[in-house]
Amino acid sequence: MFLFWFFTPSTKWVAAIVDKSVLTPAGDEHISFTWLLNQKRLTKTNADRYQIDHDYFGFFPKDNDKFRIKGLERFSSSQLRQLSEDADMAYFTDTYGIYKQEWYHKNVGETVGFGMLYGGLSKQDLDFLQLMKEKKKLIITEFNTIGSPTTKENREKFESMFGMRWTGWTARFFDNLDTSVNLELPHWMIKNYNASHQVKWNFKKSGIAFVNEEGGQVIVLEDQNHLINPIPFIRSSELGQVKFGLPNEIKYPFWFDVIVPDTRINVVLSEFSLKTNATGLAELKRNGIPSTFPAVIMAKSGYSPFFYFSGDFCDNPIHMSASYFKGIDAFKFLFYNDRDPMERNSFFWEFYRPLMNQILDDAINKPKASINSVSAN
């Protein structure tokens, strides 16, 4: 399998990857895409493969709490224009960024203070995306591209550019909401919940926590009390299943956001489905949150090729070593146990990989045509 992979001819495919949330050289926020580029023998030059710790724009960690920032912010207008000429596609995997308190780990507030080191969708990012759109080149973005800390002005420009709107809500499934058991529950989330509810955080089961950017409002749906099944699922349309090889339904236990697409421009390939009971549905309605909302949207035929993934789709706990074997997907069942509600490897193998495979194949094989050749009306 390695020899078949090694002797498969490579194809030069220039991907401009933007990741501002790289805490370690492992590059968790863009590893899935780099894995796929390597497995498909797509190279940044005629010979050089993509390196996960090198080939992206954003935050670059170094030893001893040192770092380098090599984002698009350093590019002039002419350099951005040249990059849009050179690049075959753009993929914004994460712009959440890096905060001082998570980077320095200790002595925060004493010597380095709080706040953001780097992050948010910048003017240069938007200018580059606009140039790529004008050239009708493939653009893929995902959560968190326009959430905090992106400014409202830049978010609105992105929304107008691509025909979608973020509601301000983000959410995540937790397999245990008991603070005495799950020590990884975000402290700020519990603090915000207690500040806005008369009844303090006292959840004991699994569930989904929703956080609103405006004011930090927190809503919790707990298993049995609000949910028939606590795990969020992604359900795919007929187009998503037939064209992109997506499963009818798959669990998704990680961060996601709630968006509203302009259906005149975009089509929904997949959507999140929450298994609520009557109490949970009423709680969602009271806070203006739908029980189903887009997971993957795609620009309709005739528009510049664009995809938005409403989740941390590129962040999966996979290993690059498996990408060096052709036909490795025949053994994908060995890489995950989908009975574990928190595992995300099955999402990579059953959803992300077939989706991205088809997107890339269409873009590479039909570079002069819209990749959205299937009618989405």
Side-chain angles (χ1 to χ4, degrees):
M1 291 170 64
F2 171 76
L3 291 175
F4 273 118
W5 173 86
F6 186 81
F7 288 108
T8 298
S10 62
T11 301
K12 182 183 176 183
W13 181 254
V14 181
I17 304 168
V18 176
D19 186 353
K20 303 187 180 186
S21 306
V22 183
L23 270 173
T24 72
D28 293 341
E29 299 290 342
H30 62 270
I31 188 172
S32 296
F33 183 56
T34 307
W35 189 103
L36 200 63
L37 290 171
N38 189 59
Q39 218 270 331
K40 292 176 71 66
R41 299 282 289 172
L42 300 178
T43 53
K44 60 182 180 180
T45 67
N46 290 328
D48 296 329
R49 296 195 298 270
Y50 285 88
Q51 300 177 50
I52 197 166
D53 61 347
H54 182 72
D55 297 310
Y56 65 95
F57 298 102
F59 188 92
F60 288 76
K62 301 175 72 175
D63 294 334
N64 301 318
D65 287 341
K66 297 186 182 300
F67 59 88
R68 287 190 66 189
I69 295 174
K70 296 190 288 183
L72 298 183
E73 293 76 18
R74 63 202 170 111
F75 280 44
S76 65
S77 297
S78 60
Q79 288 173 319
L80 289 173
R81 194 173 300 109
Q82 185 60 54
L83 179 61
S84 71
E85 292 285 349
D86 296 338
D88 294 299
M89 66 170 291
Y91 192 164
F92 280 61
T93 66
D94 202 303
T95 69
Y96 178 75
I98 302 292
Y99 285 75
K100 292 180 180 179
Q101 50 265 44
E102 63 181 339
W103 178 249
Y104 291 107
H105 307 295
K106 57 185 179 180
N107 299 325
V108 177
E110 299 176 11
T111 58
V112 297
F114 291 88
M116 185 175 65
L117 280 175
Y118 176 62
L121 193 70
S122 67
K123 177 185 181 300
Q124 289 82 2
D125 294 329
L126 286 167
D127 290 345
F128 173 62
L129 287 171
Q130 181 62 45
L131 290 166
M132 293 292 283
K133 182 182 178 184
E134 290 171 359
K135 293 176 173 61
K136 292 191 176 297
K137 293 188 174 181
L138 173 61
I139 296 171
I140 302 174
T141 62
E142 66 175 59
F143 171 86
N144 178 25
T145 296
I146 55 174
S148 177
T150 294
T151 65
K152 182 180 179 181
E153 179 185 7
N154 286 351
R155 179 184 307 129
E156 290 176 348
K157 287 179 179 178
F158 179 96
E159 291 171 333
S160 176
M161 193 183 301
F162 295 111
M164 55 170 284
R165 176 177 61 83
W166 180 42
T167 63
W169 288 103
T170 61
R172 183 188 166 179
F173 166 77
F174 293 94
D175 63 341
N176 196 317
L177 293 167
D178 190 336
T179 55
S180 65
V181 177
N182 189 351
L183 302 181
E184 295 185 0
L185 287 168
H187 296 295
W188 57 264
M189 187 171 70
I190 298 165
K191 179 181 177 182
N192 287 3
Y193 181 90
N194 291 337
S196 59
H197 291 77
Q198 292 182 346
V199 179
K200 303 306 180 184
W201 186 289
N202 191 34
F203 302 104
K204 302 298 181 183
K205 305 181 184 71
S206 58
I208 304 169
F210 285 85
V211 182
N212 193 285
E213 183 193 40
E214 189 171 341
Q217 181 185 7
V218 177
I219 304 298
V220 176
L221 302 185
E222 189 178 23
D223 188 23
Q224 299 178 30
N225 294 324
H226 305 94
L227 298 164
I228 300 170
N229 187 330
I231 306 175
F233 282 82
I234 296 177
R235 304 173 72 175
S236 296
S237 66
E238 182 179 357
L239 176 61
Q241 294 178 57
V242 174
K243 168 71 175 173
F244 295 94
L246 299 177
N248 176 51
E249 186 175 79
I250 191 169
K251 71 178 189 296
Y252 185 74
F254 208 43
W255 288 102
F256 57 91
D257 58 5
V258 183
I259 67 157
V260 178
D262 183 341
T263 53
R264 297 170 300 177
I265 299 172
N266 295 304
V267 61
V268 177
L269 292 178
S270 304
E271 64 181 10
F272 283 100
S273 176
L274 308 182
K275 316 288 187 178
T276 60
N277 57 24
T279 304
L281 186 61
E283 182 72 5
L284 290 177
K285 286 184 176 179
R286 185 161 44 248
N287 291 279
I289 305 172
S291 58
T292 60
F293 40 88
V296 178
I297 64 172
M298 175 185 76
K300 289 185 175 182
S301 179
Y303 290 92
S304 180
F306 168 76
F307 290 82
Y308 183 81
F309 304 156
S310 298
D312 240 347
F313 285 9
C314 202
D315 182 354
N316 298 289
I318 59 172
H319 300 285
M320 284 297 295
S321 56
S323 68
Y324 294 91
F325 298 91
K326 193 172 181 66
I328 190 67
D329 55 313
F331 301 93
K332 61 187 178 184
F333 64 92
L334 298 173
F335 295 99
Y336 62 85
N337 173 16
D338 60 4
R339 288 173 294 182
D340 177 0
M342 293 299 290
E343 67 84 27
R344 306 200 309 276
N345 281 321
S346 60
F347 177 80
F348 170 79
W349 290 101
E350 304 291 348
F351 192 97
Y352 182 85
R353 188 171 184 272
L355 173 63
M356 287 299 301
N357 248 334
Q358 190 62 51
I359 291 174
L360 288 172
D361 285 348
D362 285 349
I364 293 166
N365 295 330
K366 302 175 183 177
K368 294 183 180 179
S370 169
I371 65 172
N372 305 331
S373 56
V374 174
S375 175
N377 294 312

